[in-house]
Amino acid sequence: MCLIVFHQFVFGHSVYLFKDIGSDTLNTNLPGYINISEMLWGGNLPGWSFEQGLGQNVFPFSLSDPTTYLLYLLGADNLSFGIVWVEIFKITCSGLLFFGFLKKSGLDTRAAYIGGLFYAFSAFMIVGGSWYIFSTLGLYIALLLLSFEMLYSENKWWLFPISIALIAGYNFVNLYTGGVFLLFYILFRVSAEDETDFKRLSSLFLRLILLGLLGVLMSAVFSVPNLFQMIDSARVSGSASLVSKLASKSILETGNGNYLLTLLMRTFSSDLLGNGSAYKGWRNYLEAPMSYCGLLSLLLIPQLFHFLKSRQKIVFATFLGIFIFAEIFPWFRMGFWLFQGDYFRDFSLYVSVIFILFTVLALDKLIKGKTINLPILGMSFLILTLLLYFPYNVSLHGVYGTTRWDSAIVHTMQNRIALFLVLITATLTLFSAGKYRKYAPLCLWALTCIELASFTYVTVNDRDAVSTASLHEKAGYNDFSVEAISFIKQQDNEFFRIEKNYSSSPASLAGFNDSKVQHYFGSSAYNSFNQKNYINFLAACDVLNPDNKFETMWIPGVRNKPLLQILTGVKYVLFKGNWESKPRWDWLYTKIGNFGDVSVLKSKYALPMGVAYDAYILQSDFVKLDSNLKQIALIKAIMIPDHLANDLPAMARISGTTLSMDSYSPDLLAIDTEKLKDNSFHISSFSNNSISGYLSANIKQLVFFSIPFDNGWKATVNGHEAAILMVDGGLSAVLVEPGKDVISLRYTPAYVELGLYLTLLGLLIFGVAVFRSRMRQ
């Protein structure tokens, strides 16, 4: 089925990268894979990378997903062709693991097999899988459910801590959401039995907690750095957090018609309201409900309640009702996310698990002799058909505007759904005919395969994917920027940064991670958890609003701030268009080359990575200046927290009150920058994680480095440890004494060493426990 669905990617016509709403694959996933692969092939573990923003620790989330290791092994030039195979691997394994979970629950093999197919080709695995990270979570949740069932039914414990370790190492948020779902599932699983053994339940919870803690310990080398990077980000601990806004919404306020209709329609199919960027429902193609997990579930779940005993009906209805209630009343769904976002994502996976489980339980009973209730089946079919074709008087509001219902619905998909509802309903009636009921499971299996392949084919192939042929054209990441960057590197072997007034990403949405693919140091970055102090620096200079979550994720850097480019060492600019029409650019830059439609400009004033200032401006004075004067002030003086002034008696203080943008001429800029260059830091050795050099200081003064402040950086001056101070709102500086000073900067990713020790301890405990368990057997 995967070979059919993904044939254009498997046979090399396209690569599994999307230019539509799935542009994250091109703008963040691919650049990240290339950046980490280059580090590994260079013989280095991921650490600091100057190819992300002005620099950031990229160890978190770099090696915590084992499914990406194959991509890293393929190398930067080939890994894009391996992405589809990784996705096929995850889809196949998740289906097999979920099949195993259902088998361990005592269900018929044929029912369990159909359940495995529903899980593997559910909307979460296919739609979410086109963003890569969600299919990985689907794989791990299937493993978690299997490991729990092995522990519960067979008293085999060893797989549970492994599944916890994989989820925790991948993302602590997923551990939280998976843990919450597992808690609900355990209560359901135990309560659904005829008699509840509370003593066994308490013992089970104790074992799960201990084994879960062991799993977290085993994952610590990845999970601890990941967790602290999230906590230290603007989205979590910063002012961009959405908690107060979302938590203040009314608790019992239902979703509007747009929301509820999208929820309903996406249960029938992922593409009933459009595919990719053509999707016209609530939110966008990814963050809307990903509820589809087979049409059979919509027809069989009502049958299940007909088969259950009175007590079981209450338990099953409660379990299902909790999650449906949370979908209808968004406050509870957002509460599930701790009010960090208004989306479905993981929540859709857990709802799909419930739907598939209930479907397979009903199918199991039918296969084992129960007779289909034809009135309930007929009523279910009629209600579903009515819901599918009802002329709703609703306007759908999505990311691309407002659309009337009748123009938003994809009628070909609507009719295809109706056809499969008819075929599945007819097949289910075989369970009421004694002569033909033995053929019903096989017919359902065939219909399931056809339906899932048919629906999934649309989801995967009606997207705007990158063609293999386009990889060889002078476009996208292979545009004339490549020749321009090569030209610059051939003539300049010093540290420098490059800016661009355009994005090379072929995606419809502009990317800010070109530097990772085209291998240069820039200032822009697109990442869920960008370096917090870099954001603080840009916010201090009025480049972005730190309270806006999206501005902290999509960072243009200093692209549109020429004076900040000078400060941060942007020595070259790649420009498309008429650069001379830009105000003042003719006295800031000189054109040194042209490649295709790309002009190469060289800054007349760019500063080195490190310069020694003999003047400072207090933060309290700096914040009073307007945006333009702030840029001038940072050229003339280093901005420091007020409490540091007493430690700098030899440095002059400026207040900024005499600064004027109108009178700041090229001559004055040249004087200021030449003064700093005369006292600059000369680099003798450079790598992402280690920088050494020297300068001659005239007084006791601060040496500024255009590196975001990070506790992982350590400095020595003339062999002695020196504190790195945060200046300019979020960048770094070192205090030096008069004379020649040799400065070394070294970076160690935070919490990795601690995490490694904890992981080794966890593996030791796990190994001893497995050995003792085997010896007892």
Side-chain angles (χ1 to χ4, degrees), residues 744-772:
S744 294
L745 303 174
R746 296 190 180 278
Y747 187 78
T748 303
Y751 307 107
V752 173
E753 185 176 352
L754 171 63
L756 178 60
Y757 291 141
L758 293 176
T759 292
L760 292 175
L761 176 61
L763 292 174
L764 177 62
I765 295 172
F766 179 77
V768 170
V770 169
F771 177 77
R772 292 186 62 185

PDB file of all heavy atoms in Angstrom, residues 744-772:
ATOM      1  N   SER A 744      40.229  33.023  24.686  1.00  0.00           N
ATOM      2  CA  SER A 744      39.716  31.763  24.148  1.00  0.00           C
ATOM      3  C   SER A 744      38.264  31.613  24.573  1.00  0.00           C
ATOM      4  O   SER A 744      37.921  31.817  25.744  1.00  0.00           O
ATOM      5  CB  SER A 744      40.542  30.573  24.648  1.00  0.00           C
ATOM      6  OG  SER A 744      41.854  30.620  24.145  1.00  0.00           O
ATOM      7  N   LEU A 745      37.431  31.250  23.635  1.00  0.00           N
ATOM      8  CA  LEU A 745      36.016  30.984  23.892  1.00  0.00           C
ATOM      9  C   LEU A 745      35.725  29.538  23.526  1.00  0.00           C
ATOM     10  O   LEU A 745      36.066  29.099  22.425  1.00  0.00           O
ATOM     11  CB  LEU A 745      35.121  31.909  23.066  1.00  0.00           C
ATOM     12  CG  LEU A 745      35.327  33.417  23.234  1.00  0.00           C
ATOM     13  CD1 LEU A 745      34.468  34.173  22.233  1.00  0.00           C
ATOM     14  CD2 LEU A 745      34.982  33.853  24.649  1.00  0.00           C
ATOM     15  N   ARG A 746      35.100  28.804  24.435  1.00  0.00           N
ATOM     16  CA  ARG A 746      34.762  27.406  24.151  1.00  0.00           C
ATOM     17  C   ARG A 746      33.318  27.150  24.547  1.00  0.00           C
ATOM     18  O   ARG A 746      32.846  27.641  25.578  1.00  0.00           O
ATOM     19  CB  ARG A 746      35.690  26.445  24.901  1.00  0.00           C
ATOM     20  CG  ARG A 746      37.137  26.562  24.454  1.00  0.00           C
ATOM     21  CD  ARG A 746      38.015  25.451  25.019  1.00  0.00           C
ATOM     22  NE  ARG A 746      39.397  25.599  24.566  1.00  0.00           N
ATOM     23  CZ  ARG A 746      39.853  25.190  23.396  1.00  0.00           C
ATOM     24  NH1 ARG A 746      39.019  24.596  22.568  1.00  0.00           N
ATOM     25  NH2 ARG A 746      41.102  25.364  23.057  1.00  0.00           N
ATOM     26  N   TYR A 747      32.665  26.361  23.704  1.00  0.00           N
ATOM     27  CA  TYR A 747      31.245  26.092  23.957  1.00  0.00           C
ATOM     28  C   TYR A 747      31.014  24.627  24.263  1.00  0.00           C
ATOM     29  O   TYR A 747      31.517  23.730  23.569  1.00  0.00           O
ATOM     30  CB  TYR A 747      30.384  26.480  22.750  1.00  0.00           C
ATOM     31  CG  TYR A 747      28.914  26.365  23.065  1.00  0.00           C
ATOM     32  CD1 TYR A 747      28.277  27.353  23.806  1.00  0.00           C
ATOM     33  CD2 TYR A 747      28.174  25.261  22.671  1.00  0.00           C
ATOM     34  CE1 TYR A 747      26.941  27.249  24.140  1.00  0.00           C
ATOM     35  CE2 TYR A 747      26.834  25.146  22.995  1.00  0.00           C
ATOM     36  CZ  TYR A 747      26.226  26.135  23.735  1.00  0.00           C
ATOM     37  OH  TYR A 747      24.901  26.021  24.082  1.00  0.00           O
ATOM     38  N   THR A 748      30.246  24.386  25.309  1.00  0.00           N
ATOM     39  CA  THR A 748      29.796  23.039  25.673  1.00  0.00           C
ATOM     40  C   THR A 748      28.284  23.086  25.806  1.00  0.00           C
ATOM     41  O   THR A 748      27.764  23.872  26.609  1.00  0.00           O
ATOM     42  CB  THR A 748      30.412  22.580  27.002  1.00  0.00           C
ATOM     43  OG1 THR A 748      31.831  22.630  26.906  1.00  0.00           O
ATOM     44  CG2 THR A 748      29.963  21.166  27.342  1.00  0.00           C
ATOM     45  N   PRO A 749      27.537  22.290  25.043  1.00  0.00           N
ATOM     46  CA  PRO A 749      26.072  22.319  25.155  1.00  0.00           C
ATOM     47  C   PRO A 749      25.618  22.064  26.591  1.00  0.00           C
ATOM     48  O   PRO A 749      26.078  21.136  27.243  1.00  0.00           O
ATOM     49  CB  PRO A 749      25.629  21.187  24.223  1.00  0.00           C
ATOM     50  CG  PRO A 749      26.746  21.035  23.250  1.00  0.00           C
ATOM     51  CD  PRO A 749      27.997  21.331  24.023  1.00  0.00           C
ATOM     52  N   ALA A 750      24.748  22.919  27.056  1.00  0.00           N
ATOM     53  CA  ALA A 750      24.289  22.834  28.440  1.00  0.00           C
ATOM     54  C   ALA A 750      23.560  21.526  28.706  1.00  0.00           C
ATOM     55  O   ALA A 750      22.798  21.039  27.867  1.00  0.00           O
ATOM     56  CB  ALA A 750      23.374  24.023  28.751  1.00  0.00           C
ATOM     57  N   TYR A 751      23.799  20.957  29.870  1.00  0.00           N
ATOM     58  CA  TYR A 751      23.101  19.797  30.423  1.00  0.00           C
ATOM     59  C   TYR A 751      23.408  18.482  29.706  1.00  0.00           C
ATOM     60  O   TYR A 751      22.887  17.442  30.108  1.00  0.00           O
ATOM     61  CB  TYR A 751      21.574  20.014  30.430  1.00  0.00           C
ATOM     62  CG  TYR A 751      21.149  21.290  31.100  1.00  0.00           C
ATOM     63  CD1 TYR A 751      20.683  22.365  30.357  1.00  0.00           C
ATOM     64  CD2 TYR A 751      21.251  21.434  32.486  1.00  0.00           C
ATOM     65  CE1 TYR A 751      20.305  23.549  30.971  1.00  0.00           C
ATOM     66  CE2 TYR A 751      20.873  22.616  33.107  1.00  0.00           C
ATOM     67  CZ  TYR A 751      20.399  23.670  32.343  1.00  0.00           C
ATOM     68  OH  TYR A 751      20.032  24.843  32.948  1.00  0.00           O
ATOM     69  N   VAL A 752      24.262  18.503  28.686  1.00  0.00           N
ATOM     70  CA  VAL A 752      24.558  17.262  27.979  1.00  0.00           C
ATOM     71  C   VAL A 752      25.385  16.330  28.849  1.00  0.00           C
ATOM     72  O   VAL A 752      25.116  15.118  28.926  1.00  0.00           O
ATOM     73  CB  VAL A 752      25.296  17.542  26.650  1.00  0.00           C
ATOM     74  CG1 VAL A 752      25.746  16.238  26.003  1.00  0.00           C
ATOM     75  CG2 VAL A 752      24.383  18.305  25.695  1.00  0.00           C
ATOM     76  N   GLU A 753      26.389  16.872  29.532  1.00  0.00           N
ATOM     77  CA  GLU A 753      27.232  16.040  30.389  1.00  0.00           C
ATOM     78  C   GLU A 753      26.419  15.449  31.533  1.00  0.00           C
ATOM     79  O   GLU A 753      26.512  14.246  31.827  1.00  0.00           O
ATOM     80  CB  GLU A 753      28.397  16.867  30.940  1.00  0.00           C
ATOM     81  CG  GLU A 753      29.401  16.047  31.738  1.00  0.00           C
ATOM     82  CD  GLU A 753      30.603  16.870  32.185  1.00  0.00           C
ATOM     83  OE1 GLU A 753      30.726  18.033  31.752  1.00  0.00           O
ATOM     84  OE2 GLU A 753      31.414  16.344  32.969  1.00  0.00           O
ATOM     85  N   LEU A 754      25.599  16.279  32.168  1.00  0.00           N
ATOM     86  CA  LEU A 754      24.723  15.777  33.235  1.00  0.00           C
ATOM     87  C   LEU A 754      23.779  14.714  32.687  1.00  0.00           C
ATOM     88  O   LEU A 754      23.599  13.650  33.296  1.00  0.00           O
ATOM     89  CB  LEU A 754      23.915  16.937  33.819  1.00  0.00           C
ATOM     90  CG  LEU A 754      22.784  16.570  34.801  1.00  0.00           C
ATOM     91  CD1 LEU A 754      23.353  15.884  36.041  1.00  0.00           C
ATOM     92  CD2 LEU A 754      21.969  17.808  35.177  1.00  0.00           C
ATOM     93  N   GLY A 755      23.171  14.994  31.530  1.00  0.00           N
ATOM     94  CA  GLY A 755      22.252  14.034  30.922  1.00  0.00           C
ATOM     95  C   GLY A 755      22.927  12.726  30.583  1.00  0.00           C
ATOM     96  O   GLY A 755      22.332  11.648  30.750  1.00  0.00           O
ATOM     97  N   LEU A 756      24.185  12.785  30.131  1.00  0.00           N
ATOM     98  CA  LEU A 756      24.915  11.569  29.789  1.00  0.00           C
ATOM     99  C   LEU A 756      25.131  10.694  31.017  1.00  0.00           C
ATOM    100  O   LEU A 756      24.933   9.468  30.967  1.00  0.00           O
ATOM    101  CB  LEU A 756      26.257  11.928  29.151  1.00  0.00           C
ATOM    102  CG  LEU A 756      27.158  10.748  28.773  1.00  0.00           C
ATOM    103  CD1 LEU A 756      26.462   9.834  27.769  1.00  0.00           C
ATOM    104  CD2 LEU A 756      28.484  11.242  28.215  1.00  0.00           C
ATOM    105  N   TYR A 757      25.517  11.306  32.127  1.00  0.00           N
ATOM    106  CA  TYR A 757      25.712  10.537  33.360  1.00  0.00           C
ATOM    107  C   TYR A 757      24.403   9.887  33.819  1.00  0.00           C
ATOM    108  O   TYR A 757      24.385   8.726  34.246  1.00  0.00           O
ATOM    109  CB  TYR A 757      26.264  11.434  34.471  1.00  0.00           C
ATOM    110  CG  TYR A 757      27.686  11.883  34.238  1.00  0.00           C
ATOM    111  CD1 TYR A 757      28.093  13.182  34.556  1.00  0.00           C
ATOM    112  CD2 TYR A 757      28.643  11.018  33.700  1.00  0.00           C
ATOM    113  CE1 TYR A 757      29.395  13.603  34.336  1.00  0.00           C
ATOM    114  CE2 TYR A 757      29.952  11.433  33.494  1.00  0.00           C
ATOM    115  CZ  TYR A 757      30.321  12.723  33.800  1.00  0.00           C
ATOM    116  OH  TYR A 757      31.614  13.121  33.581  1.00  0.00           O
ATOM    117  N   LEU A 758      23.310  10.633  33.712  1.00  0.00           N
ATOM    118  CA  LEU A 758      22.007  10.079  34.116  1.00  0.00           C
ATOM    119  C   LEU A 758      21.596   8.938  33.184  1.00  0.00           C
ATOM    120  O   LEU A 758      21.039   7.929  33.640  1.00  0.00           O
ATOM    121  CB  LEU A 758      20.943  11.178  34.099  1.00  0.00           C
ATOM    122  CG  LEU A 758      21.109  12.296  35.138  1.00  0.00           C
ATOM    123  CD1 LEU A 758      20.051  13.376  34.945  1.00  0.00           C
ATOM    124  CD2 LEU A 758      21.022  11.732  36.559  1.00  0.00           C
ATOM    125  N   THR A 759      21.874   9.096  31.889  1.00  0.00           N
ATOM    126  CA  THR A 759      21.548   8.036  30.934  1.00  0.00           C
ATOM    127  C   THR A 759      22.344   6.771  31.236  1.00  0.00           C
ATOM    128  O   THR A 759      21.789   5.654  31.219  1.00  0.00           O
ATOM    129  CB  THR A 759      21.832   8.501  29.503  1.00  0.00           C
ATOM    130  OG1 THR A 759      20.890   9.532  29.162  1.00  0.00           O
ATOM    131  CG2 THR A 759      21.684   7.358  28.502  1.00  0.00           C
ATOM    132  N   LEU A 760      23.625   6.914  31.510  1.00  0.00           N
ATOM    133  CA  LEU A 760      24.456   5.751  31.837  1.00  0.00           C
ATOM    134  C   LEU A 760      23.951   5.066  33.094  1.00  0.00           C
ATOM    135  O   LEU A 760      23.914   3.825  33.171  1.00  0.00           O
ATOM    136  CB  LEU A 760      25.916   6.180  32.015  1.00  0.00           C
ATOM    137  CG  LEU A 760      26.610   6.662  30.729  1.00  0.00           C
ATOM    138  CD1 LEU A 760      28.003   7.181  31.051  1.00  0.00           C
ATOM    139  CD2 LEU A 760      26.689   5.534  29.699  1.00  0.00           C
ATOM    140  N   LEU A 761      23.542   5.863  34.079  1.00  0.00           N
ATOM    141  CA  LEU A 761      22.971   5.290  35.299  1.00  0.00           C
ATOM    142  C   LEU A 761      21.688   4.533  34.979  1.00  0.00           C
ATOM    143  O   LEU A 761      21.472   3.407  35.460  1.00  0.00           O
ATOM    144  CB  LEU A 761      22.698   6.394  36.316  1.00  0.00           C
ATOM    145  CG  LEU A 761      22.000   5.971  37.620  1.00  0.00           C
ATOM    146  CD1 LEU A 761      22.858   4.954  38.388  1.00  0.00           C
ATOM    147  CD2 LEU A 761      21.707   7.185  38.495  1.00  0.00           C
ATOM    148  N   GLY A 762      20.825   5.131  34.146  1.00  0.00           N
ATOM    149  CA  GLY A 762      19.568   4.478  33.780  1.00  0.00           C
ATOM    150  C   GLY A 762      19.796   3.187  33.033  1.00  0.00           C
ATOM    151  O   GLY A 762      19.121   2.176  33.284  1.00  0.00           O
ATOM    152  N   LEU A 763      20.743   3.193  32.090  1.00  0.00           N
ATOM    153  CA  LEU A 763      21.044   1.973  31.332  1.00  0.00           C
ATOM    154  C   LEU A 763      21.620   0.891  32.231  1.00  0.00           C
ATOM    155  O   LEU A 763      21.332  -0.305  32.049  1.00  0.00           O
ATOM    156  CB  LEU A 763      22.026   2.289  30.209  1.00  0.00           C
ATOM    157  CG  LEU A 763      21.472   3.166  29.066  1.00  0.00           C
ATOM    158  CD1 LEU A 763      22.587   3.536  28.094  1.00  0.00           C
ATOM    159  CD2 LEU A 763      20.347   2.447  28.329  1.00  0.00           C
ATOM    160  N   LEU A 764      22.422   1.289  33.218  1.00  0.00           N
ATOM    161  CA  LEU A 764      22.976   0.320  34.165  1.00  0.00           C
ATOM    162  C   LEU A 764      21.860  -0.328  34.981  1.00  0.00           C
ATOM    163  O   LEU A 764      21.820  -1.559  35.136  1.00  0.00           O
ATOM    164  CB  LEU A 764      23.981   1.011  35.088  1.00  0.00           C
ATOM    165  CG  LEU A 764      24.592   0.143  36.193  1.00  0.00           C
ATOM    166  CD1 LEU A 764      25.396  -1.009  35.588  1.00  0.00           C
ATOM    167  CD2 LEU A 764      25.474   0.984  37.114  1.00  0.00           C
ATOM    168  N   ILE A 765      20.938   0.490  35.475  1.00  0.00           N
ATOM    169  CA  ILE A 765      19.815  -0.044  36.259  1.00  0.00           C
ATOM    170  C   ILE A 765      18.956  -0.957  35.379  1.00  0.00           C
ATOM    171  O   ILE A 765      18.542  -2.043  35.810  1.00  0.00           O
ATOM    172  CB  ILE A 765      18.961   1.112  36.825  1.00  0.00           C
ATOM    173  CG1 ILE A 765      19.778   1.923  37.837  1.00  0.00           C
ATOM    174  CG2 ILE A 765      17.690   0.573  37.487  1.00  0.00           C
ATOM    175  CD1 ILE A 765      19.079   3.185  38.296  1.00  0.00           C
ATOM    176  N   PHE A 766      18.695  -0.534  34.163  1.00  0.00           N
ATOM    177  CA  PHE A 766      17.887  -1.338  33.242  1.00  0.00           C
ATOM    178  C   PHE A 766      18.575  -2.667  32.946  1.00  0.00           C
ATOM    179  O   PHE A 766      17.941  -3.734  32.971  1.00  0.00           O
ATOM    180  CB  PHE A 766      17.666  -0.556  31.944  1.00  0.00           C
ATOM    181  CG  PHE A 766      16.866  -1.300  30.906  1.00  0.00           C
ATOM    182  CD1 PHE A 766      15.495  -1.414  31.021  1.00  0.00           C
ATOM    183  CD2 PHE A 766      17.485  -1.898  29.820  1.00  0.00           C
ATOM    184  CE1 PHE A 766      14.748  -2.092  30.065  1.00  0.00           C
ATOM    185  CE2 PHE A 766      16.770  -2.579  28.857  1.00  0.00           C
ATOM    186  CZ  PHE A 766      15.386  -2.674  28.986  1.00  0.00           C
ATOM    187  N   GLY A 767      19.876  -2.623  32.686  1.00  0.00           N
ATOM    188  CA  GLY A 767      20.619  -3.842  32.388  1.00  0.00           C
ATOM    189  C   GLY A 767      20.615  -4.818  33.552  1.00  0.00           C
ATOM    190  O   GLY A 767      20.409  -6.026  33.372  1.00  0.00           O
ATOM    191  N   VAL A 768      20.831  -4.301  34.762  1.00  0.00           N
ATOM    192  CA  VAL A 768      20.832  -5.157  35.963  1.00  0.00           C
ATOM    193  C   VAL A 768      19.450  -5.773  36.160  1.00  0.00           C
ATOM    194  O   VAL A 768      19.317  -6.964  36.472  1.00  0.00           O
ATOM    195  CB  VAL A 768      21.264  -4.353  37.200  1.00  0.00           C
ATOM    196  CG1 VAL A 768      21.033  -5.155  38.476  1.00  0.00           C
ATOM    197  CG2 VAL A 768      22.730  -3.949  37.088  1.00  0.00           C
ATOM    198  N   ALA A 769      18.398  -4.950  35.971  1.00  0.00           N
ATOM    199  CA  ALA A 769      17.031  -5.441  36.171  1.00  0.00           C
ATOM    200  C   ALA A 769      16.687  -6.525  35.154  1.00  0.00           C
ATOM    201  O   ALA A 769      16.068  -7.540  35.502  1.00  0.00           O
ATOM    202  CB  ALA A 769      16.043  -4.282  36.066  1.00  0.00           C
ATOM    203  N   VAL A 770      17.078  -6.345  33.899  1.00  0.00           N
ATOM    204  CA  VAL A 770      16.822  -7.364  32.880  1.00  0.00           C
ATOM    205  C   VAL A 770      17.583  -8.637  33.198  1.00  0.00           C
ATOM    206  O   VAL A 770      17.049  -9.761  33.095  1.00  0.00           O
ATOM    207  CB  VAL A 770      17.215  -6.839  31.474  1.00  0.00           C
ATOM    208  CG1 VAL A 770      17.201  -7.963  30.449  1.00  0.00           C
ATOM    209  CG2 VAL A 770      16.260  -5.728  31.042  1.00  0.00           C
ATOM    210  N   PHE A 771      18.848  -8.506  33.628  1.00  0.00           N
ATOM    211  CA  PHE A 771      19.664  -9.672  33.967  1.00  0.00           C
ATOM    212  C   PHE A 771      19.039 -10.449  35.128  1.00  0.00           C
ATOM    213  O   PHE A 771      18.915 -11.689  35.069  1.00  0.00           O
ATOM    214  CB  PHE A 771      21.072  -9.217  34.329  1.00  0.00           C
ATOM    215  CG  PHE A 771      21.975 -10.338  34.776  1.00  0.00           C
ATOM    216  CD1 PHE A 771      22.535 -11.208  33.845  1.00  0.00           C
ATOM    217  CD2 PHE A 771      22.251 -10.544  36.126  1.00  0.00           C
ATOM    218  CE1 PHE A 771      23.353 -12.245  34.257  1.00  0.00           C
ATOM    219  CE2 PHE A 771      23.064 -11.571  36.539  1.00  0.00           C
ATOM    220  CZ  PHE A 771      23.626 -12.433  35.603  1.00  0.00           C
ATOM    221  N   ARG A 772      18.617  -9.741  36.157  1.00  0.00           N
ATOM    222  CA  ARG A 772      18.006 -10.422  37.314  1.00  0.00           C
ATOM    223  C   ARG A 772      16.696 -11.087  36.923  1.00  0.00           C
ATOM    224  O   ARG A 772      16.380 -12.184  37.386  1.00  0.00           O
ATOM    225  CB  ARG A 772      17.771  -9.412  38.435  1.00  0.00           C
ATOM    226  CG  ARG A 772      19.050  -8.878  39.078  1.00  0.00           C
ATOM    227  CD  ARG A 772      18.752  -7.996  40.259  1.00  0.00           C
ATOM    228  NE  ARG A 772      18.053  -8.737  41.297  1.00  0.00           N
ATOM    229  CZ  ARG A 772      17.585  -8.182  42.420  1.00  0.00           C
ATOM    230  NH1 ARG A 772      17.738  -6.881  42.627  1.00  0.00           N
ATOM    231  NH2 ARG A 772      16.973  -8.916  43.313  1.00  0.00           N
TER     232      ARG A 772
END
